[in-house]
Amino acid sequence: MTTPKILGVIPSRYASSRLPGKPLLDIGGRTMLEHVYRRAVASGIFFRVVIATDDHRIYDAAEKFGGDVLMTRADHPDGSSRVAEIAAKVDTDYVINIQGDEPMLDPRMLCELANGLASDPSADSATVCVPITKDEDFNNPNIVKVVRAQNGRALYFSRSPIPFRRNDSGCSVWEHLGIYAFTKDFLLKFVSLPPTPLMQTESLEQLRILEHGYSMAVIPTKYPSEGPNVNTQEDLEAVRKIYARRKSEGK
């Protein structure tokens, strides 16, 4: 059996409303982008990991640490579209969109995601989830929830607390983690699909997949990120403290 080829792409923009220049912010002597890139490569599942950017500052920084970086158009509406521009030019079976603001990403989660999609060949795409254990997280609209079918496919994603717990049936509740795998063919199709009402209402791009009738496998991960993704200055400081502690412990 031929081993499938898996391409990893890290879409990276300089602009950020809350943290300008976010990919190049320093964390323990390395940029956030370098941390993400090194963790992706460390997973060992990719034949190539590419940083996709439209900014020469990011391009130059990536080249400096030895990253595989390519320039893209500047007019992409979202990260998936930027990833698709790269994937269209590369001979690959699968593509994983790796978020550039996840410097604490556990490389083993990428392996779970890739293996999950490869083992469900009729699925168009895949993502990961973790159990929600706190009511405050369940009710937090910034934490996206997902409900799964018996076969592990996504039924729905929402910022609302789903499922509604009318009865105590022991039903699991899941937090969706925003990392995605696609077959190459579906990724190129996905970015051409028009926006959909639920996608726009919830402001969740992945709902475009479900609303158009395509499938997404949802894989419970044993290896969630070791710290927060970086959206705010508070997140950045929290990650810096984690790295400083790990460095002092010799890890």
Side-chain angles (χ1 to χ4, degrees), residues 1-248:
M1 181 178 177
T2 304
T3 302
K5 297 180 69 175
I6 305 172
L7 171 71
V9 183
I10 305 170
S12 188
R13 295 174 60 247
Y14 191 85
S16 171
S17 58
R18 288 182 284 186
L19 281 175
K22 183 165 67 169
L24 303 186
L25 293 174
D26 180 82
I27 300 172
R30 290 177 175 167
T31 63
M32 179 158 58
L33 179 63
E34 182 175 357
H35 283 292
V36 175
Y37 182 82
R38 288 181 178 276
R39 284 173 175 256
V41 170
S43 71
I45 62 166
F46 300 111
F47 74 93
R48 186 178 181 186
V49 177
V50 176
I51 297 164
T53 187
D54 61 1
D55 193 286
H56 284 283
R57 289 164 291 189
I58 292 174
Y59 185 96
D60 292 344
E63 278 207 320
K64 187 175 180 180
F65 66 72
D68 184 348
V69 57
L70 295 173
M71 292 293 290
T72 65
R73 304 192 320 266
D75 61 348
H76 287 293
D78 50 53
S80 297
S81 177
R82 195 177 304 279
V83 170
E85 181 185 341
I86 299 298
K89 303 171 184 176
V90 178
D91 178 20
T92 188
D93 300 305
Y94 298 102
V95 184
I96 294 185
N97 180 347
I98 304 158
Q99 303 301 312
D101 59 4
E102 289 271 9
M104 302 300 296
L105 176 72
D106 191 316
R108 293 172 295 182
M109 185 167 68
L110 295 172
C111 297
E112 291 176 315
L113 178 59
N115 292 335
L117 182 56
S119 65
D120 188 354
S122 63
D124 301 301
S125 58
T127 189
V128 292
C129 65
V130 291
I132 294 176
T133 58
K134 299 177 182 178
D135 284 343
E136 63 198 74
D137 291 342
F138 188 55
N139 292 297
N140 184 347
N142 294 315
I143 292 178
V144 177
K145 276 68 67 176
V146 59
V147 288
R148 303 165 71 235
Q150 291 289 310
N151 64 358
R153 300 282 181 85
L155 292 172
Y156 192 61
F157 297 87
S158 183
R159 298 183 183 278
S160 296
I162 56 172
F164 179 78
R165 294 181 287 192
R166 181 164 190 145
N167 299 305
D168 185 9
S169 64
C171 179
S172 297
V173 291
W174 300 100
E175 175 185 353
H176 172 231
L177 303 181
I179 186 166
Y180 301 96
F182 306 89
T183 64
K184 175 180 174 176
D185 289 344
F186 179 68
L187 173 61
L188 301 184
K189 181 185 295 183
F190 166 54
V191 296
S192 70
L193 297 174
T196 51
L198 288 172
M199 166 196 161
Q200 293 173 321
T201 299
E202 294 256 19
S203 190
L204 294 174
E205 184 184 10
Q206 65 271 32
L207 286 174
R208 181 163 44 145
I209 294 173
L210 304 187
E211 284 187 88
H212 280 286
Y214 296 100
S215 60
M216 177 172 279
V218 183
I219 299 143
T221 178
K222 299 175 185 175
Y223 308 107
S225 296
E226 303 168 76
N229 61 325
V230 178
N231 290 307
T232 66
Q233 186 66 34
E234 291 74 19
D235 295 333
L236 178 63
E237 295 306 326
V239 170
R240 283 172 170 168
K241 287 179 181 178
I242 292 171
Y243 268 101
R245 184 177 67 248
R246 289 169 62 91
K247 185 175 181 180
S248 68

